[in-house]
């Protein structure tokens, strides 16, 4: 809300590049305020005030776009991926400060927190953006290579720097980038089967259900939690076994996309109702079966929870954009998160990881009081964004990092 309001307020009086940085700064401040546990009514009050200010300060943009399913998909992906990228980059550093409430930190076995949602929501929005057209495998391999390179390089860099590794996340060598790479290949492969949304939903349910039976009846969960780390498979069992759950999640996200944002010739109200229906079904399944979610296992409970949260975020984005389309104009609904949801997303993650390591190696994060920590976190996010912009300007796009659909 604050980001879009910033665009409406300043978009007509400042250059686009300056406006984008102002929008990102507004997003960074808002995210830090929300994540570090400041007064929630104040947080939402600022958002509402920003929209009111935008209504009076902003200029109605020309309606250069028609409200179509394709346009809705672009907005959902830009805002969804950009928001997840921003929050993930913030949390990986914020967790090292006292300012972050401990209930936001990653859980060890069961339960779900803000930081547990990062990888799941990224898989969800990437699955949502998997195009229905069957793409050549060569294209998929080329697009996946940057993820594989980052996944292989990350543990090597950690070892070289002597940076502490939390092995219960993915294991000793496995990591977020390798999971995204494998899920990417599997979801594209699912498209080659030529299934509609019902077929994709059934495939996701079959894969997740089979994995869940193995976790419960086959004691696979206890194997993941307590086995010694001896050999490559055992050292990386969390990352390797959770692939079954993440692949099911990605395929389920494709089904959600096909039943909502890709339906043609839909009115704004129809789009909102379609998304509301998916949210209601996801939450109904989660509440009915009462599964215990585990990010470490990526079990059915976790996948259902992520789909419920992700589809809820879709509903908010589509509803907000539908209102802005009619009240202010479609042309105003692009913002400073656009690059993070597109071609620069992986570059943003890479820079965020490097700067997080640099901060932890140079300062005592636990010595910061809450307000000093918040100031540093905002400065860190702006620094990451600045490095990404400079890298792109110098030719960072030629590296092919983070190519999106």
């Amino acid at each position: 809300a604050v980001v879009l309001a910033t665009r409406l307020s300043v978009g007509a009086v400042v250059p686009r590049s300056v406006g984008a940085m102002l929008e990102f700064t507004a997003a960074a401040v808002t995210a830090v305020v929300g994540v570090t546990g400041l007064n929630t009514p104040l947080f939402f009050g600022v958002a509402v005030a920003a929209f009111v200010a935008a209504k009076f300060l902003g200029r109605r943009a020309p309606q250069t776009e028609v409200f179509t399913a394709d346009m809705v998909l672009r907005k959902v992906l830009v805002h969804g991926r950009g928001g997840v990228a921003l929050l993930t980059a913030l949390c990986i550093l914020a967790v090292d400060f006292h300012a972050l409430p401990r209930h936001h930190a990653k859980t060890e076995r069961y339960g779900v927190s803000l930081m547990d949602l990062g990888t799941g929501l990224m898989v969800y929005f990437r699955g949502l953006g998997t195009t229905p057209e069957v793409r050549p495998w060569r294209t998929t391999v080329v697009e996946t290579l940057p993820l594989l390179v980052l996944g292989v390089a990350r543990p090597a860099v950690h070892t070289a720097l002597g940076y502490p590794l939390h092995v219960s996340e993915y294991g000793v060598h496995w990591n977020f980038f390798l999971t995204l790479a494998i899920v990417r290949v599997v979801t594209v492969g699912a498209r080659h089967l030529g299934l509609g949304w019902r077929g994709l939903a059934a495939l996701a349910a079959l894969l997740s259900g089979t994995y869940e039976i193995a976790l419960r009846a086959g004691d696979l969960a206890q194997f993941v939690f307590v086995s010694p780390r001896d050999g490559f498979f055992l050292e990386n069992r969390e990352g390797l076994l959770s692939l079954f759950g993440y692949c099911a999640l990605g395929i389920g996200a494709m089904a959600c996309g096909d039943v909502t944002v890709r339906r043609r010739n839909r009115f704004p109200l129809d789009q909102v109702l379609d998304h509301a229906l998916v949210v209601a079904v996801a939450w109904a399944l989660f509440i009915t079966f009462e599964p215990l979610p585990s990010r470490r296992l990526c079990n059915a409970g976790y996948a259902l929870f992520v789909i419920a949260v992700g589809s809820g975020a879709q509903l908010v984005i589509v509803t907000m954009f539908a209102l802005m389309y009619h009240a202010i104009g479609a042309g105003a609904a692009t913002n400073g998160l656009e690059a993070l949801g597109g071609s620069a997303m992986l570059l943003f993650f890479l820079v965020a990881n490097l700067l997080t390591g640099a901060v932890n190696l140079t300062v005592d994060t636990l010595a910061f009081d809450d307000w000093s920590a918040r100031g540093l976190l905002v400065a860190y996010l702006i620094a990451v964004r600045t490095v990404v912009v400079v890298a792109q300007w110098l030719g960072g796009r030629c590296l092919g990092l983070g190519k999106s659909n």
Side-chain angles (χ1 to χ4, degrees), residues 141-156:
V141 170
V142 170
E143 292 177 349
T144 308
L145 275 177
L147 284 167
L148 292 173
V149 171
L150 291 174
V152 172
R154 191 173 188 269

Side-chain angles (χ1 to χ4, degrees), residues 73-98:
L73 175 60
R74 291 197 304 272
K75 302 305 178 184
V76 166
L77 294 179
V78 164
H79 291 74
R81 291 178 178 179
V84 173
L86 176 65
L87 287 174
T88 301
L90 168 61
C91 287
I92 61 175
L93 180 59
V95 72
D96 297 318
F97 293 88
H98 291 303

Side-chain angles (χ1 to χ4, degrees), residues 170-381:
Y170 299 96
V172 178
H173 310 101
W174 205 263
N175 54 66
F176 164 80
F177 298 111
L178 293 175
T179 293
L180 289 186
I182 300 300
V183 172
R184 170 68 176 167
V185 173
V186 172
T187 52
V188 171
R191 281 295 186 199
H192 281 258
L193 299 177
L195 301 174
W197 72 265
R198 293 178 181 85
L200 290 172
L203 179 60
L206 176 63
L207 181 57
S208 182
T210 303
Y211 178 51
E212 188 70 15
I213 291 173
L215 287 173
R216 296 191 181 192
D219 290 331
L220 188 59
Q222 285 304 308
F223 169 79
V224 172
F225 291 145
V226 302
S227 294
R229 298 192 182 275
D230 182 19
F232 181 82
F233 178 78
L234 290 177
E235 287 178 339
N236 300 283
R237 57 184 182 269
E238 292 90 349
L240 293 171
L241 292 174
S242 66
L243 285 174
F244 291 99
Y246 282 118
C247 288
L249 174 58
I251 295 171
M254 291 196 299
C256 291
D258 287 354
V259 80
T260 54
V261 292
R262 288 195 181 89
R263 297 178 68 179
R264 306 289 176 175
N265 302 318
R266 307 291 287 173
F267 294 103
L269 180 59
D270 294 324
Q271 288 279 352
V272 172
L273 292 177
D274 284 345
H275 283 80
L277 178 61
V278 172
V279 174
V281 170
W283 278 109
L285 288 172
F286 184 80
I287 293 171
T288 300
F289 292 102
E290 296 184 342
L292 199 57
S294 171
R295 181 265 315 158
R296 191 171 170 185
L297 300 172
C298 193
N299 61 356
Y302 176 79
L304 271 176
F305 188 77
V306 170
I307 290 175
V309 173
S311 58
Q314 279 181 254
L315 175 61
V316 172
I317 293 168
V318 172
T319 303
M320 183 183 300
F321 184 69
L323 293 173
M324 293 184 66
Y325 180 86
H326 289 288
I328 305 169
T334 56
N335 59 67
L337 294 180
E338 184 172 354
L340 305 190
S343 60
M345 185 178 66
L346 288 186
L347 182 58
F348 184 83
F349 277 134
L350 175 61
V351 175
N353 273 271
L354 292 174
L355 284 186
T356 296
V359 170
N360 278 285
L361 291 173
T362 55
V363 301
D364 181 7
T365 55
L366 297 179
F368 280 67
D369 62 73
D370 288 356
W371 282 105
S372 298
R374 291 176 184 123
L376 179 61
L377 289 171
V378 171
Y380 149 79
L381 290 173

